[in-house]
Amino acid sequence: MSKSHYQTRRNLAQQALADIIPFSEDDEKAIQAGARQLVQGGVPPDLPPRFLVSAASYALATGQIPARQLSNRVINHLTSPIPPSSPSFKEIQAALL
């Protein structure tokens, strides 16, 4: 992470960006793993959108994937409808009562 993420900002009430939006080594590892998946033709399904953009940047930097192909894959993933989630146990229980 660059030094600018740790500098305080007036518009953030004198807090650093890293204080507002936490970012860990595990997050960086997930981004790097996501970049490898993108290069191999996949899309990391559990990677948050804010990290997917960084993963795409890393994937593009490898030179192993055409920019248009990568951007289409990422945009299609980010704009695809979210599948409905499975009902919770409480929702199932309430439906039976």
Side-chain angles (χ1 to χ4, degrees):
M1 193 178 297
S2 73
K3 291 179 184 179
S4 66
H5 292 95
Y6 296 103
Q7 295 173 351
T8 59
R9 303 270 194 260
R10 246 183 309 167
N11 58 345
L12 295 177
Q14 295 302 334
Q15 293 182 335
L17 184 59
D19 295 330
I20 306 292
I21 303 173
F23 188 82
S24 68
E25 280 187 47
D26 288 339
D27 294 331
E28 180 64 27
K29 289 176 185 174
I31 290 169
Q32 294 289 345
R36 287 188 295 276
Q37 276 188 279
L38 288 167
V39 168
Q40 295 169 357
V43 176
D46 56 342
L47 195 62
R50 68 187 176 115
F51 294 161
L52 183 60
V53 173
S54 295
S57 176
Y58 285 137
L60 188 60
T62 68
Q64 297 177 5
I65 184 168
R68 176 73 62 188
Q69 180 183 356
L70 177 62
S71 75
N72 286 342
R73 187 178 309 140
V74 169
I75 290 168
N76 287 337
H77 177 75
L78 291 174
T79 59
S80 65
I82 299 172
S85 62
S86 301
S88 70
F89 179 74
K90 287 184 178 183
E91 291 171 327
I92 294 170
Q93 204 172 30
L96 296 173
L97 298 177

